[in-house]
Amino acid sequence: MSTRKYTYDYPHPALTSDCVVFGFDEGELKLLLLQRANAPAKGSWALPGGCVHIKETTEAAARRVLEEKVGVGKIYLEQLYTFSEIDRDPRERVISVAYYALVKLADYKVKAGRDTENAEWFAVSQVPKLAFDHNHIVKVAIARLRGKVRYQPVGFELLPAKFTLTQLQHLYEAILGVELDKRNFRKKILGMGLLTGLDEKEKNVAHKAARFYSFDKKTYKELSAKGFNFEL
Amino acid sequence: MSTRKYTYDYPHPALTSDCVVFGFDEGELKLLLLQRANAPAKGSWALPGGCVHIKETTEAAARRVLEEKVGVGKIYLEQLYTFSEIDRDPRERVISVAYYALVKLADYKVKAGRDTENAEWFAVSQVPKLAFDHNHIVKVAIARLRGKVRYQPVGFELLPAKFTLTQLQHLYEAILGVELDKRNFRKKILGMGLLTGLDEKEKNVAHKAARFYSFDKKTYKELSAKGFNFEL
DNA sequence: CCAAAAGTGTTCACGTTACACCCATGT
DNA sequence: ACATGGGTGTAACGTGAACACTTTTGG
């Protein structure tokens, strides 16, 4: 046990980190689920998660879990919320500090599921019944992502380094659940000056090849230091 | 100890709830601090907080702490962030699920400090050096409140049930740290149709008496169910 | 009558929205 | 040649910003 001193000598709840891992593929927002190999809820789908070690921050635990179970490292990760309902885990009192991650799905498509647990990407509209309170966590994560994406340039974390404006627009449409006007979208996003047009185009498409762009993170940091606010 | 079964048989970090309690008074945004009566950091100012009991959610713990130490009940409370840096408490590993509270300061002014600990309201611009990582928590809370106040009608939680438009404007100015135009502010806030003008005015003021208004929560809920979004 | 804050409209600039056609490429 | 998505500009509209004077009240 940990050393118990001073005022904190009473039973502590267990602590875990669970992750909602978002990806974007085929015009759909997806998230990564694992099929549980052990009791409880053996066989049902659940969020990747694991216990927080005694010498580890909750974020470090989340990153470790993602590397161990999913094989993704160095990704965008942000704390979502801490879930502490008494009966959220049937075994004992377990509090979960949930994170959400944004991954460039194309990069990780192959690696997922390397562990003993079965891994699969589900469209957010087709998430099955999950173990514990994980459906609730997913709901909170989606709501958060919806809010975030409108005033922070996090969408780019879900796309490859080089992307077309149509891909970007579809991403926003999938997350926000609305249709956007092509010309207005381009005007606005290009007007911010955060995208660098590349001298490279799509290949092997049965229509006019679209230009690739990349997100200019450096410029964004400079601008936001000067009070610039990304929006929609 | 709690029953340890299945996979979670390892030392658990201790868990506390800390609260950043905001109030508004004399045109300033304030927060409530307690002077610690015990080691560690005895004598220094800190956020109200305490341990999460084994049969209690973190939010329930926060509410309990606020009632016990500050004597405030039934207030606006929202989870802020979970702080889990390894060395944030010198005693042992303690993870804190922080909340922020908004109180109608006028109602609680007298009660604060009823416990053995010394309690005081500090203007956010004059917060002293606090115990543990509490200065950091306060920073995060202020940033969150700034963001929240612009697109959710939480400002009303800081004002009495009846308030003048000037009070409301000063509140926004204090939180956002900007000056607002009186006419534009009134136009916008009244245009939302969320304020009910009362047949009551200020008394004993050495100038034209201002009309009181109240926030119409019911209408707000109806409108936001229909897709209305409060903004600025 | 003076000081102090309440209350009230209009104009102008800018940003948002709505909208349709031609172009490049692979089959 | 045709199907598919890429790429582009303008006009109407509405929202946000700037701005000054009269009114009420207590001292």
Side-chain angles (χ1 to χ4, degrees), chain B residues 22 29 100 102 141-149 154 158 175:
Chain B
F22 288 107
L29 185 64
Y100 68 99
L102 305 179
I142 292 171
R144 180 78 138 263
L145 180 59
R146 271 201 187 130
K148 186 98 181 170
V149 89
V154 293
L158 291 164
I175 295 177

Side-chain angles (χ1 to χ4, degrees), chain A residues 6 54 56 79 82 84 93, chain B residues 54 56 58 79 82 93:
Chain A
Y6 305 101
I54 196 72
E56 179 183 60
Q79 192 180 306
T82 297
S84 69
R93 185 73 199 289
Chain B
I54 195 71
E56 181 182 59
T58 52
Q79 191 179 306
T82 297
R93 185 75 199 287

